Amino acid sequence: MTEQSNVINGTVEAVVYRNDANSYTILDVYSEERKEVVTVVGIMPFVGEGEAVEVRGEWVFHPEYGKQFRADSFEKRLPQDTNAILKYLSSGIIKGIGPKTAAKIVEKYGAETLDVMSEHPDWIAEFKGITARKALEISEQVRQQTTFYKLFDFCRDRLPMTVALRIHNAYGDKAIEVMKSNPYKLCSEIDGFTFAAADAIAVEGGYDPEGRERVFGATVQVLKLACESGGHAGLPVKTVITEVAELINVDAKNVAEFEKEFALCGEIGYLKREDGALLYLNEFLAAEKAIARQLHHLDGSCVRYDLTDMEAMLRRVEIESGIEFAEQQRKAIFTAAFSGVTVVTGGPGTGKTTIIKALMRIYESMGCDVALAAPTGRAAKRMSEATSHEAKTIHRLLEVEYCDDDGGASFFARNERNLLDEDIIIIDEASMIDMFLLNSLLRAIRPGARFVMIGDCDQLPSVGAGNVLQDIIDSDAFSVVKLTQVFRQGKESLIVTNAHKINHGEKPVLDKHDMDFFFMRRESSESIVNTLTDLCVNRLPKTYGASVFDRIQVITPTKKGGAGTESLNRILQQILNPASAEKAEKKHGEVTFRVCDKVMQVRNNYDLMWLEGGKERFGIYNGDIGVIKKIVDNKSHMVIDFEGREVQYPFDSLADLEHAYAITVHKSQGSEYPIVVMPITDFPPMLMTRNLIYTAVTRAKSMAVLVGRESALMQMVENKQKSVRHTGLKTLLEAVNA
């Protein structure tokens, strides 16, 4: 076998490492052709010593561990001769069978041992120490492995091994049968199982290309993509029909008939609205309906306080704090005290934090418990610093937990069966909350408690699906207070002044050089990037002692292009954290992660564990930023410090990790950075909007530096169009309120 060969055939000599959660495995395999032991790494479930394997992949070289063979796919053959079977069973791969018991069983049944264990558990129960129940468990393990490898054979060249593993976990020995009977069913049930994969299996099975199952699979695909990429809760019926017809090349009239049938049968959600009916994935429609019910129930179940008493308490707070509340602030405080559900919205400098602190003082003086929370760790930390009270992420408030007995699933311990104890729940940065997180939160708030959402409705909507804050405001179903007055401290900040000018479509002040907002005019794309890089690497660190690793954050509207995150991250990584013999690396696709890199989590992962005060906590969330501390290749993980939460981050989750020297404006939501640096150039038209540049500027706490073309900046300021999000929450809230 040559060094370039991409197949290894051999026998497993040892299982060096196995991650039971994701089946990442490191094997020592004796290659029959090479006549030597080869290190093989990859996703390889149920592999044990003594088994014959064929692994397909590629050779890689690790600076510490040397040459390894990285598996892309593999197949194994259960051991056939008695010696191999004995080694296999003695390895511990079958729980409940140790070396001594394995020796006794193999001595009696020889080469037929595995067949006996699978088909005749009662025979295994005859051995000392094996009960009838334990024998059944052993038999099931052997059968599982057999069915799994049949599934793996079926999925080879069709699906990644990780997806095959999810299918096996979901359907067990029925997996192949389910895929053959209706592969499109898996599009809505298995993460990572694409419509293209279903289509390939269906073609082999002779499915009707214009049949019901295929149209349904395509419908799920279209709705999934709309939710994931556009944040939509559902899509207009006509849009779904058009996109499905184009995807599978089927006549739109036939698709329309099927869509009507799907809706009538309840396979696809349907909601009638004044501005056009929507089709939904069922879980999305269920979430919006639940939010509407729960909000109205909360609003109607709270005890109304005497406003005379509230006036006295508010006056006492004014005396104690030395603050005289403005009319809008007083209105917000009284409204939150009188209503079960309240929304307070306003831009920077309008006193939202002052209102939170006043509400806390009033309710605590009444003996009430108050919970402060925000969607992200950074927003919660900022809320804590501003109020001098503990604020939690919403996930932590709901006590996200990890269940080992349910395939590694996570869940919120706080829910309708275990309600939150607090009397008032105050949520900051509410524009960031997506529909599923809000649904989970509302389920956990006890009837009679008050719910206050505070945020800026002019910012970009949540990264996740839905547009809940704007929909709640637009429904007119609940008390809403809009703050417009900018207070003295805000007026002294050009960041605040320009943010409000931008929000009103006015030209921001660009020529003052002695405040906290700077515009550096550059025309060419090259000069924009060069200036931005120089600011981050030289000028800002030299003048202010700031660093991209702590106080400076580059934000940009897009991922692509010369001023996008992908390009800027490559440039900044190369300069700020160059390759070094002392720094381990891990390549994932086209991206190289390196020790000391600044990184961001781009998808909620409730399973990642970290310690706090010696107690296990779970969850690293979309938008969390950290620094890579260590790369442990032989155990297939890296250690990342997410602002004090140290996590062992598995390599198989690297698709959820990006460099964070530069991040998108969307990913910056809910966060505030001492210094924000942003390129301004001709971005794709859908990103040249007022609310995007407004959101970007309001992320800066002490300094905002914009670099680029004034004409591009004004194009964004003058474009008040917002990207449309198709949701039904406003309609549902109005219906319940009617």
Side-chain angles (χ1 to χ4, degrees):
M1 177 175 284
T2 64
E3 290 294 315
Q4 288 71 37
S5 296
N6 64 350
V7 179
I8 293 291
N9 281 286
T11 304
V12 177
E13 292 287 310
V15 179
V16 178
Y17 171 79
R18 175 183 288 119
N19 184 326
D20 290 330
N22 58 32
S23 296
Y24 185 91
T25 307
I26 301 175
L27 303 175
D28 280 344
V29 176
Y30 180 77
S31 170
E32 296 165 357
E33 295 183 34
R34 297 175 65 90
K35 306 300 180 187
E36 66 177 351
V37 174
V38 174
T39 300
V40 179
V41 300
I43 305 296
M44 293 175 287
F46 303 130
V47 179
E49 294 175 9
E51 291 185 284
V53 294
E54 179 180 284
V55 186
R56 295 182 179 275
E58 63 178 348
W59 289 99
V60 295
F61 186 85
H62 188 272
E64 184 175 352
Y65 302 105
K67 188 168 60 178
Q68 300 175 334
F69 191 81
R70 186 171 62 204
D72 295 325
S73 66
F74 82 107
E75 61 179 295
K76 76 168 189 175
R77 299 177 296 281
L78 290 174
Q80 303 297 315
D81 63 77
T82 54
N83 287 334
I85 293 173
L86 177 59
K87 189 172 185 179
Y88 171 74
L89 293 177
S90 299
S91 70
I93 195 167
I94 303 295
K95 294 179 181 178
I97 299 291
K100 291 183 179 179
T101 304
K104 292 176 183 177
I105 298 174
V106 173
E107 182 181 359
K108 183 169 184 178
Y109 294 112
E112 296 180 356
T113 295
L114 295 178
D115 289 335
V116 169
M117 294 175 73
S118 175
E119 305 299 330
H120 302 286
D122 51 322
W123 296 5
I124 303 301
E126 296 174 358
F127 288 88
K128 185 178 180 180
I130 300 181
T131 63
R133 180 177 178 179
K134 190 174 180 180
L136 287 171
E137 292 173 353
I138 291 169
S139 177
E140 177 60 24
Q141 289 182 64
V142 176
R143 279 200 300 271
Q144 266 196 7
Q145 294 197 27
T146 303
T147 57
F148 178 79
Y149 283 102
K150 288 180 180 177
L151 171 64
F152 243 44
D153 285 341
F154 183 81
C155 292
R156 185 176 292 108
D157 300 327
R158 292 186 175 102
L159 297 166
M161 287 187 283
T162 50
V163 177
L165 187 58
R166 292 184 195 125
I167 296 170
H168 176 265
N169 291 340
Y171 302 112
D173 59 3
K174 302 289 185 185
I176 295 177
E177 180 184 333
V178 169
M179 281 198 289
K180 286 184 175 179
S181 63
N182 185 2
Y184 300 107
K185 170 185 171 71
L186 278 69
C187 293
S188 60
E189 298 181 1
I190 301 296
D191 187 28
F193 191 91
T194 64
F195 176 77
D199 231 17
I201 294 170
V203 167
E204 294 175 14
Y207 270 76
D208 180 357
E210 298 188 11
R212 186 184 196 279
E213 293 87 354
R214 188 165 187 251
V215 175
F216 180 78
T219 301
V220 170
Q221 176 80 353
V222 165
L223 291 172
K224 261 188 176 180
L225 288 175
C227 299
E228 291 171 358
S229 61
H232 303 290
L235 280 181
V237 176
K238 289 183 179 179
T239 301
V240 174
I241 291 170
T242 300
E243 293 190 9
V244 169
E246 290 178 355
L247 177 63
I248 59 177
N249 195 27
V250 172
D251 186 89
K253 291 182 180 179
N254 293 339
V255 173
E257 289 301 314
F258 280 125
E259 299 300 346
K260 186 184 297 183
E261 182 182 335
F262 298 150
L264 288 172
C265 294
E267 294 173 275
I268 293 293
Y270 175 85
L271 179 66
K272 188 176 181 180
R273 306 179 309 165
E274 285 186 7
D275 47 352
L278 296 181
L279 292 179
Y280 285 79
L281 295 174
N282 281 329
E283 62 267 30
F284 285 74
L285 180 56
E288 286 201 325
K289 285 182 175 180
I291 289 169
R293 287 195 308 269
Q294 289 159 169
L295 282 172
H296 278 289
H297 184 58
L298 274 179
D299 198 46
S301 63
C302 73
V303 176
R304 312 292 179 180
Y305 291 121
D306 189 297
L307 294 183
T308 304
D309 294 340
M310 289 299 300
E311 178 66 46
M313 285 187 280
L314 185 57
R315 183 60 189 150
R316 186 164 63 248
V317 170
E318 286 182 318
I319 294 170
E320 291 173 352
S321 62
I323 297 174
E324 184 176 348
F325 296 112
E327 182 181 346
Q328 289 180 343
Q329 291 177 312
R330 294 175 68 85
K331 180 181 178 182
I333 294 165
F334 277 110
T335 300
F338 190 72
S339 307
V341 175
T342 305
V343 174
V344 179
T345 181
T350 56
K352 297 190 293 295
T353 301
T354 301
I355 291 168
I356 295 173
K357 291 194 284 189
L359 287 172
M360 289 186 62
R361 288 195 180 195
I362 290 171
Y363 278 97
E364 287 178 344
S365 70
M366 296 167 61
C368 297
D369 291 328
V370 181
L372 302 182
T376 68
R378 281 180 171 265
K381 182 179 180 182
R382 188 153 50 90
M383 196 180 189
S384 295
E385 292 169 348
T387 62
S388 299
H389 284 71
E390 182 187 20
K392 302 177 180 179
T393 63
I394 296 174
H395 292 85
R396 187 177 167 199
L397 178 69
L398 297 178
E399 299 176 15
V400 64
E401 292 187 3
Y402 184 83
C403 180
D404 289 323
D405 299 329
D406 190 24
S410 298
F411 64 95
F412 291 123
R414 293 290 186 168
N415 50 43
E416 62 271 24
R417 295 179 297 279
N418 182 25
L419 298 170
L420 293 167
D421 300 319
E422 287 81 4
D423 303 292
I424 178 169
I425 314 295
I426 303 176
I427 304 297
D428 199 11
E429 295 288 354
S431 64
M432 292 185 64
I433 304 177
D434 65 54
M435 57 193 289
F436 290 105
L437 185 57
L438 180 60
N439 183 29
S440 295
L441 175 60
L442 292 173
R443 286 171 54 199
I445 300 177
R446 63 176 182 80
R450 281 168 167 73
F451 181 52
V452 182
M453 301 177 74
I454 297 179
D456 187 344
C457 64
D458 292 316
Q459 289 184 20
L460 295 170
S462 60
V463 175
N467 197 10
V468 293
L469 181 63
Q470 192 65 58
D471 283 348
I472 291 169
I473 293 171
D474 291 345
S475 72
D476 289 327
F478 307 101
S479 300
V480 177
V481 180
K482 295 184 178 180
L483 307 175
T484 57
Q485 181 180 349
V486 179
F487 294 95
R488 182 180 61 82
Q489 297 92 331
K491 290 178 180 177
E492 294 173 354
S493 166
L494 196 54
I495 292 174
V496 173
T497 298
N498 278 343
H500 285 279
K501 282 182 172 292
I502 289 168
N503 202 29
H504 294 136
E506 301 170 6
K507 181 179 179 179
V509 178
L510 303 180
D511 295 318
K512 284 195 175 183
H513 304 293
D514 58 347
M515 297 188 73
D516 55 7
F517 184 100
F518 300 90
F519 186 78
M520 303 179 70
R521 291 174 175 82
R522 300 291 187 274
E523 290 300 320
S524 71
S525 298
E526 183 180 1
S527 64
I528 291 171
V529 172
N530 288 342
T531 301
L532 182 148
T533 303
D534 185 46
L535 282 165
C536 295
V537 176
N538 299 310
R539 296 170 66 170
L540 291 173
K542 182 178 179 180
T543 306
Y544 300 100
S547 164
V548 168
F549 293 95
D550 51 23
R551 297 178 58 208
I552 302 171
Q553 184 60 62
V554 177
I555 61 177
T556 180
T558 182
K559 285 187 171 186
K560 304 296 183 181
T565 57
E566 292 177 358
S567 176
L568 292 175
N569 274 318
R570 281 195 300 271
I571 294 169
L572 291 170
Q573 182 198 35
Q574 185 177 354
I575 299 172
L576 295 168
N577 190 30
S580 165
E582 287 75 39
K583 294 178 182 177
E585 297 181 350
K586 175 63 181 176
K587 191 172 178 65
H588 179 76
E590 298 299 315
V591 179
T592 298
F593 293 105
R594 185 175 298 136
V595 169
C596 295
D597 268 343
K598 183 179 180 181
V599 292
M600 171 181 274
Q601 178 74 9
V602 296
R603 182 180 179 184
N604 289 344
N605 187 328
Y606 305 121
D607 301 338
L608 291 173
M609 188 272 289
W610 43 279
L611 296 176
E612 182 182 59
K615 184 177 180 181
E616 290 185 350
R617 302 283 189 186
F618 290 93
I620 297 296
Y621 306 114
N622 191 351
D624 285 351
I625 290 179
V627 175
I628 299 174
K629 295 297 184 182
K630 189 186 300 183
I631 295 177
V632 191
D633 201 80
N634 68 326
K635 291 190 177 178
S636 187
H637 72 254
M638 57 180 64
V639 178
I640 304 178
D641 183 351
F642 287 97
E643 298 183 318
R645 296 165 294 164
E646 196 165 277
V647 171
Q648 289 189 0
Y649 201 98
F651 287 169
D652 71 317
S653 295
L654 289 179
D656 299 338
L657 201 67
E658 294 179 357
H659 285 117
Y661 301 101
I663 64 176
T664 63
V665 178
H666 281 85
K667 293 296 184 184
S668 74
Q669 286 176 262
S671 297
E672 192 175 70
Y673 310 97
I675 301 174
V676 164
V677 181
M678 181 180 179
I680 302 293
T681 185
D682 294 325
F683 298 109
M686 73 285 294
L687 299 175
M688 300 289 286
T689 62
R690 180 184 301 170
N691 68 331
L692 188 143
I693 186 63
Y694 171 76
T695 300
V697 170
T698 55
R699 298 309 88 207
K701 181 179 182 180
S702 303
M703 183 184 299
V705 186
L706 276 56
V707 182
R709 291 198 287 275
E710 184 176 332
S711 59
L713 174 63
M714 290 311 301
Q715 183 180 340
M716 298 176 82
V717 172
E718 293 165 3
N719 181 9
K720 65 179 181 180
Q721 289 187 345
K722 295 183 179 181
S723 57
V724 175
R725 282 207 172 181
H726 297 294
T727 66
L729 182 58
K730 175 178 177 287
T731 298
L732 292 165
L733 288 169
E734 291 169 340
V736 176
N737 196 42

